[in-house]
Amino acid sequence: MESMLNKLKSTVTKVTADVTSAVMGNPVTREFEVGRHIASGGPGLCWRIYDGTKKSTKQEVAVFVFDKKMIDKYQKFEKDQIIDSLKRGVQQLTRLRHPRLLTVQHPLEESRDCLAFCTEPVFASLSNVLGQWDNLPSPVPTDIKEYKLFDVETKYGLLQISEGLSFLHSGVKMVHGNLCLENVILNKSGSWKIMGFDFSISAANPSDSEPKYTCKEWDPNLPPLCLPNPEYLAPEYILSVSCDSASDMYSLGVVMHAVFNEGKPVFQVNKHDIFKSFSRQLDQLSTMSSALLNKIPEEVQQHVKMLLSVTPTVRPDADQMTKIPFFDDVGAVTLQYFDSLFQRDNLQKSQFYKGLPKVLPKLPKRVVVHRILPALTSEFVNPDMVPFVLPNVLLIAEECTRDEYIRLILPDLTPVFKQQEPIQASNMILLIFLQKMDLLLTKTPAEDIKSSVLPMVYRALEAPSVQIQELCLNIIPTFANLIDYPSMKNALIPRIKSACLQTSSLAVRVNSLVCLGKILEYLDKWFVIDEILPFLQQIPSREPAVLMGMLGIYKCTFTHKKLGIPKEHLASKSLPHLISLSIDGNLNLNQFNSFMVVIRDMLSRMEAEHKTKLEQLHVMQEQQRSINISNPGNPSEEPKSQPSTGNQIDDIFGGAAVNGKENGSAAPAPAPKPNRMSLTLEEKQRLAKEQEQAAKLRNQQPLAPQAAKQSAASNAQAKDLTSSLLNNMTSLNSLSLANAPRPAPVQGSTMAAFPSPGTMMGPMGAQISNGFNTPMSFQTGGMGMGMRPPGPAHYGAGMATTTSTPNFSAFNQHQGPNKTPDMSALDSLFKPSQPKVTLNQMGPKAPPGTNNTWLQQLGGTPNAQTQMQGAPVPLGGVPGGFGMQANPFFSPQNFSQPAAAASLNQSGVKHSSSVSGDLKDLFG
């Protein structure tokens, strides 16, 4: 490990020293920061290429450096010749300006140790890309070693060189004189640029139609850097010391051959005997075999063969080469159009950008990202072009990794997120971004989402365009899981609610409700109950689609496992609101049925939950009562205060059965508490005789001390219970009819207010138990149990007269079989200290049908009770099943407006033909 660290340290130190020594003292370093060594290029790959930045503007550049140590082996006059040749090439390049020539950013600077100049950012030379790695850093950069040219890059690159030669020959009247792989540079975006004008030749008569060029005779004694690359030179250079523009076309032919042959030229030249080599080459060119060009694409083989012709006049000129069918590739044409965009007007650009999405999938990713993307993002400065450019940029972003998106695309998109002018373009930009919102939220960092993306969504919800609002509401559920909860709670939901209340479009209002229904699962229970459900009651519209949207939100909240509505809210707010909505005249039959299904389900769950709670409370009370009865030894510990109202009512309605076993067995129960008001004179006499007989038995057979103590406690308890019963009945008689609670009827079941004589029988004649006590002498309400009472005799008139005197005589009929009841507990009823009761109070209840204000108010008649007895329903009192088929969120037809009510518009909301369609995503 230590050896590896030392090796890495030495490598870094060496690279730093090389960079420092390469440019030390050069004036270029005053304005530019020099980075790492990335490539090499120029004649003989003598120029080292470094990346760099301008200190003042942070603009990225490439720094070309020639280290004079490379020519230390030469004599001084040879060194001077090399330096002069290199200077001339750079100076010539600096004077020339064309898109196909390498752009110089800073002219040549010379110091004691090096020559240096700066150009546009560079990737590598074509020679490096094709495998010639001379003067490259060690190890060779991975991006160069693994670089492979795509067909579209090769085609367009050769087209670019042809265009550059056309500019030199026609525009400048100049022959390059050394066109080869080393002098073709690939810039950072992948464009091919020409450099290396060290041996360029200007025309002697540039104004004439046929310019003449004069070249120097080949001198083999000069250093190689003072001579052009002979492998790319036309034969006439060497053999006849003549040249013209056709000589550059021969060099282009050799470059095309080398590109398709892994960087190898047509012929290898013996530089020690160059004249002999060219003579042999001339014979081979005259009889060129097809095997020499077998690696070149067929559609361009004949053109390359013509370029390599011995006769200069046969070779195509540069302008003709730019028009051959080989370059009519869709990718090459697209790239060429991008390079000429600055010449186009907005109309031409917009037409081109509209068709670009069809071309982008056909191009390699590297070409798209490094060539097309920069050209597209440069158009963001033109607001009118942004709507045409943006879809293509987002299409490219889909193919990029998250890192590439953040590094290459997001910085240019950030200003576009905030663009609001011109209005028409801004609306189009919003629509485009909304359609790609999942992409933006997936690849954009969280801080940029909060600062740029979500504010744009909020702006769309508040946009004046109904189309934008609808689209925004439709797509919000698709990315709701990507929005952080505070933003959704504090910013998004309030704007959705505001859009629903303030809009004049029915489609927007319905879509708002649908949107809320779809994102409920991302909210917490209490936020929904406190903010969403109360909001539904603020909506003024009563169109069927709006009502069904409100029903859907209620249903989703009610049925969702994470949410749910508490029974208190159901009873006080949800059910009253839903019931009032269900009878709206605009609803059709199916929509009304949907409301009733939800209402019944809510009622059923509310009933079940509350009944369970009451049963649990009842069991707890019975357990406490059993504990008190089993520990009667210390009367002083009993509570001295009067029992609560709930306990009093339990004593009245449950006293006959509370001591029975929960399994419904027929075990003997303790003697019930008799009701003094319900006893006739004959019954009192009979009870008095039984009491005397019991007293005689006690006198004849003395009780054991413990039994006597228990008997005394039982008598005292019976006395207290009797006194409590009388007090309760007195308080019940004093209740006002107006204040009496009216129990809500349950569909399909009725409930008698007071017990009736006789044992309650089930449908098959069996006694019915309540699950806790012995068979009961009174019938409870059906409670959704699906039972039908035997007849009207089991019910009081109407819903029971709670203020009338009940008949408790039926309690006596449920003692153990064949057992004489123990009436000793009634002794206290006949003591002089007890208050007197009139005969009217002790008499039986008034028969049904008598004139009674309570009955008349409730309208309770046997016929009415018969009508209340509905058909048996499943457990819970509601139709079974609350699945997808019964859910209005999955039944879009429930949201269609009835034909008769189609024209109704009570709230002034504009109807939209797309309302039903807008609900399909949520309800379909």
Side-chain angles (χ1 to χ4, degrees):
M1 183 67 181
E2 185 176 357
S3 60
M4 292 178 62
L5 290 175
N6 291 334
K7 184 178 179 181
L8 177 62
K9 181 179 179 181
S10 63
T11 303
V12 172
T13 304
K14 182 177 182 299
V15 171
T16 305
D18 291 344
V19 173
T20 304
S21 63
V23 295
M24 183 179 295
N26 195 288
V28 168
T29 59
R30 287 187 231 142
E31 297 185 30
F32 297 90
E33 292 282 354
V34 180
R36 63 187 182 92
H37 183 189
I38 57 174
S40 61
L45 298 175
C46 65
W47 292 96
R48 289 184 179 181
I49 306 174
Y50 298 84
D51 59 9
T53 55
K54 193 170 184 177
K55 294 180 179 179
S56 59
T57 63
K58 302 301 179 183
Q59 180 185 3
E60 190 176 4
V61 297
V63 181
F64 283 69
V65 178
F66 174 76
D67 191 351
K68 292 181 179 180
K69 292 181 180 179
M70 294 178 61
I71 56 175
D72 282 347
K73 61 182 179 179
Y74 295 105
Q75 299 294 326
K76 185 178 185 306
F77 74 93
E78 292 176 327
K79 290 180 182 179
D80 293 340
Q81 286 179 315
I82 294 173
I83 297 298
D84 290 343
S85 176
L86 293 175
K87 284 183 178 180
R88 181 177 182 276
V90 176
Q91 290 167 356
Q92 192 72 272
L93 178 63
T94 304
R95 285 194 293 266
L96 298 172
R97 293 286 180 174
H98 190 267
R100 304 303 177 228
L101 306 183
L102 187 63
T103 304
V104 177
Q105 302 283 8
H106 187 84
L108 183 69
E109 297 281 3
E110 183 178 4
S111 65
R112 184 184 63 180
D113 297 321
C114 67
L115 300 175
F117 67 101
C118 297
T119 69
E120 61 184 296
V122 165
F123 170 69
S125 65
L126 185 57
S127 183
N128 292 156
V129 169
L130 293 175
Q132 299 179 28
W133 299 337
D134 297 344
N135 210 14
L136 282 181
S138 180
V140 177
T142 305
D143 51 354
I144 291 180
K145 186 183 297 186
E146 298 178 356
Y147 194 91
K148 300 296 180 185
L149 288 170
F150 294 107
D151 288 342
V152 64
E153 291 179 297
T154 301
K155 288 181 179 180
Y156 186 54
L158 294 173
L159 175 60
Q160 288 176 304
I161 295 176
S162 301
E163 292 175 346
L165 290 177
S166 177
F167 164 73
L168 291 176
H169 298 164
S170 302
V172 187
K173 307 295 184 180
M174 176 186 291
V175 173
H176 185 278
N178 191 24
L179 184 65
C180 56
L181 297 182
E182 301 98 278
N183 287 326
V184 176
I185 301 295
L186 277 65
N187 71 2
K188 207 64 174 287
S189 64
S191 296
W192 292 17
K193 302 293 187 82
I194 299 174
M195 69 166 291
F197 288 85
D198 308 52
F199 309 102
S200 60
I201 304 169
S202 297
N205 53 341
S207 59
D208 294 349
S209 58
E210 294 184 3
K212 295 181 181 180
Y213 302 93
T214 303
C215 62
K216 296 180 181 180
E217 185 177 355
W218 182 270
D219 185 357
N221 297 320
L222 291 175
L225 290 179
C226 293
L227 295 170
N229 189 336
E231 294 176 343
Y232 292 84
L233 283 181
E236 61 267 21
Y237 259 109
I238 307 299
L239 300 179
S240 62
V241 193
S242 63
C243 67
D244 59 8
S245 58
S247 302
D248 281 346
M249 300 311 296
Y250 177 91
S251 300
L252 177 61
V254 181
V255 168
M256 294 180 70
H257 182 277
V259 168
F260 291 108
N261 285 271
E262 301 175 353
K264 299 176 182 178
V266 182
F267 302 107
Q268 298 292 331
V269 175
N270 183 359
K271 298 178 182 179
H272 299 288
D273 193 358
I274 194 168
F275 296 100
K276 185 177 180 180
S277 295
F278 265 85
S279 298
R280 190 184 307 113
Q281 177 179 325
L282 194 63
D283 295 337
Q284 293 175 345
L285 290 174
S286 301
T287 59
M288 187 179 296
S289 62
S290 58
L292 194 65
L293 306 175
N294 60 353
K295 292 187 178 181
I296 299 176
E298 292 184 3
E299 60 266 34
V300 78
Q301 278 186 7
Q302 291 302 317
H303 299 92
V304 173
K305 187 175 182 179
M306 293 169 64
L307 289 172
L308 297 177
S309 173
V310 175
T311 307
T313 56
V314 177
R315 302 168 192 160
D317 60 33
D319 188 57
Q320 291 171 339
M321 281 299 297
T322 60
K323 299 175 182 177
I324 63 174
F326 178 68
F327 296 132
D328 288 340
D329 178 79
V330 61
V333 172
T334 301
L335 295 177
Q336 184 182 29
Y337 197 94
F338 268 109
D339 288 339
S340 62
L341 271 179
F342 63 93
Q343 304 173 2
R344 318 285 179 174
D345 58 25
N346 283 351
L347 181 60
Q348 292 173 321
K349 290 180 181 180
S350 63
Q351 294 298 325
F352 171 72
Y353 291 137
K354 286 180 182 179
L356 186 59
K358 300 177 183 178
V359 180
L360 290 178
K362 302 177 182 179
L363 299 176
K365 177 182 176 180
R366 186 179 70 218
V367 175
V368 172
V369 171
H370 294 289
R371 294 293 308 277
I372 295 179
L373 181 60
L376 290 174
T377 54
S378 65
E379 287 286 352
F380 284 158
V381 297
N382 184 355
D384 293 327
M385 284 292 101
V386 174
F388 302 99
V389 174
L390 187 57
N392 296 290
V393 173
L394 296 179
L395 186 62
I396 296 172
E398 289 181 346
E399 302 300 323
C400 292
T401 63
R402 190 170 187 266
D403 178 68
E404 290 172 337
Y405 168 81
I406 295 173
R407 179 167 45 89
L408 301 174
I409 299 177
L410 183 59
D412 295 305
L413 281 183
T414 302
V416 182
F417 287 137
K418 304 174 183 178
Q419 181 174 331
Q420 300 185 36
E421 296 292 339
I423 298 298
Q424 185 175 4
S426 176
N427 289 341
M428 294 179 66
I429 292 171
L430 282 176
L431 290 174
I432 295 168
F433 274 134
L434 290 174
Q435 291 169 346
K436 295 291 184 180
M437 189 57 61
D438 54 341
L439 165 71
L440 298 177
L441 294 178
T442 302
K443 295 189 175 182
T444 305
E447 58 273 12
D448 291 294
I449 290 177
K450 290 183 179 180
S451 62
S452 300
V453 179
L454 289 183
M456 181 192 62
V457 176
Y458 306 151
R459 197 167 70 248
L461 285 173
E462 298 169 348
S465 170
V466 172
Q467 181 186 8
I468 293 177
Q469 286 184 318
E470 282 190 65
L471 179 60
C472 185
L473 291 168
N474 285 333
I475 69 168
I476 283 175
T478 65
F479 60 81
N481 60 314
L482 302 175
I483 302 177
D484 62 289
Y485 184 73
S487 297
M488 180 177 290
K489 176 181 176 181
N490 300 321
L492 184 62
I493 298 296
R495 284 176 170 84
I496 296 176
K497 293 163 61 176
S498 177
C500 181
L501 294 177
Q502 297 178 6
T503 185
S504 60
S505 168
L506 176 62
V508 171
R509 182 161 290 168
V510 173
N511 276 307
S512 300
L513 295 173
V514 173
C515 179
L516 286 175
K518 288 182 177 180
I519 65 178
L520 284 176
E521 59 180 316
Y522 305 110
L523 305 174
D524 65 69
K525 175 178 180 179
W526 299 112
F527 179 79
V528 174
I529 293 174
D530 295 339
E531 298 293 335
I532 304 299
L533 298 186
F535 155 73
L536 299 180
Q537 301 185 20
Q538 302 173 15
I539 300 176
S541 294
R542 287 299 177 264
E543 287 79 6
V546 175
L547 296 179
M548 295 307 294
M550 296 162 66
L551 174 66
I553 292 177
Y554 272 115
K555 184 173 183 179
C556 284
T557 306
F558 177 69
T559 59
H560 198 281
K561 294 180 180 179
K562 187 183 80 171
L563 301 176
I565 305 177
K567 60 184 178 66
E568 293 81 9
H569 195 283
L570 286 175
S572 62
K573 297 180 181 179
S574 299
L575 280 171
H577 187 220
L578 280 175
I579 292 173
S580 65
L581 295 180
S582 66
I583 60 173
D584 191 277
N586 294 330
L587 296 177
N588 59 28
L589 179 60
N590 288 335
Q591 294 165 348
F592 172 74
N593 289 336
S594 299
F595 267 90
M596 296 312 299
V597 167
V598 177
I599 291 171
R600 290 191 191 100
D601 196 45
M602 288 182 173
L603 283 170
S604 176
R605 183 177 299 182
M606 182 184 68
E607 175 189 1
E609 290 181 1
H610 197 64
K611 182 178 180 181
T612 302
K613 175 183 176 181
L614 293 177
E615 288 174 347
Q616 293 174 349
L617 289 174
H618 179 73
V619 171
M620 293 173 62
Q621 291 171 353
E622 293 304 317
Q623 292 175 350
Q624 184 64 35
R625 188 173 301 168
S626 299
I627 293 173
N628 293 338
I629 293 176
S630 63
N631 297 282
N634 190 1
S636 62
E637 295 180 359
E638 296 180 1
K640 299 179 180 180
S641 60
Q642 290 294 332
S644 64
T645 303
N647 291 334
Q648 294 176 3
I649 296 177
D650 287 344
D651 291 340
I652 296 172
F653 290 98
V658 293
N659 294 325
K661 295 184 179 180
E662 291 183 2
N663 59 4
S665 63
K673 309 176 187 65
N675 184 2
R676 180 178 179 182
M677 292 182 293
S678 64
L679 298 179
T680 62
L681 183 61
E682 291 79 10
E683 290 175 334
K684 290 180 179 180
Q685 293 173 353
R686 179 171 55 81
L687 290 175
K689 291 180 180 180
E690 291 176 352
Q691 185 178 15
E692 291 175 358
Q693 293 176 359
K696 290 178 181 180
L697 290 175
R698 286 196 302 272
N699 294 332
Q700 294 175 1
Q701 186 177 359
L703 295 174
Q706 182 67 24
K709 187 181 295 184
Q710 293 180 355
S711 175
S714 300
N715 292 338
Q717 185 178 11
K719 181 178 179 180
D720 292 340
L721 291 175
T722 305
S723 175
S724 174
L725 184 145
L726 291 175
N727 293 335
N728 294 340
M729 295 311 302
T730 304
S731 62
L732 287 175
N733 285 331
S734 65
L735 293 176
S736 172
L737 179 61
N739 296 328
R742 298 179 59 184
V746 181
Q747 182 178 358
S749 65
T750 57
M751 179 175 180
F754 298 103
S756 60
T759 303
M760 185 178 67
M761 306 298 292
M764 301 303 296
Q767 291 185 358
I768 295 177
S769 171
N770 65 356
F772 293 95
N773 309 308
T774 56
M776 299 183 299
S777 62
F778 62 95
Q779 179 178 348
T780 60
M783 292 301 194
M785 298 299 294
M787 299 181 297
R788 186 163 183 166
H794 287 275
Y795 299 87
M799 292 303 293
T801 56
T802 57
T803 59
S804 62
T805 303
N807 186 354
F808 289 86
S809 61
F811 288 0
N812 299 330
Q813 301 183 21
H814 286 281
Q815 302 183 13
N818 302 323
K819 180 178 179 180
T820 303
D822 184 5
M823 295 300 179
S824 60
L826 299 177
D827 290 345
S828 59
L829 293 177
F830 298 96
K831 294 180 180 180
S833 61
Q834 297 296 331
K836 300 297 182 180
V837 183
T838 63
L839 291 177
N840 290 335
Q841 290 176 315
M842 294 188 292
K845 295 185 299 182
T850 58
N851 187 10
N852 188 307
T853 306
W854 168 253
L855 298 182
Q856 290 178 359
Q857 181 176 351
L858 295 180
T861 62
N863 290 338
Q865 287 209 356
T866 303
Q867 294 172 1
M868 291 175 62
Q869 300 171 8
V873 295
L875 182 62
V878 295
F882 197 169
M884 301 285 285
Q885 300 301 326
N887 191 340
F889 273 80
F890 299 96
S891 302
Q893 66 271 14
N894 291 339
F895 288 78
S896 60
Q897 303 186 34
S903 60
L904 296 178
N905 188 1
Q906 301 174 1
S907 59
V909 178
K910 299 179 183 177
H911 290 263
S912 172
S913 60
S914 63
V915 171
S916 297
D918 293 333
L919 297 165
K920 289 183 180 179
D921 290 339
L922 183 59
F923 305 110

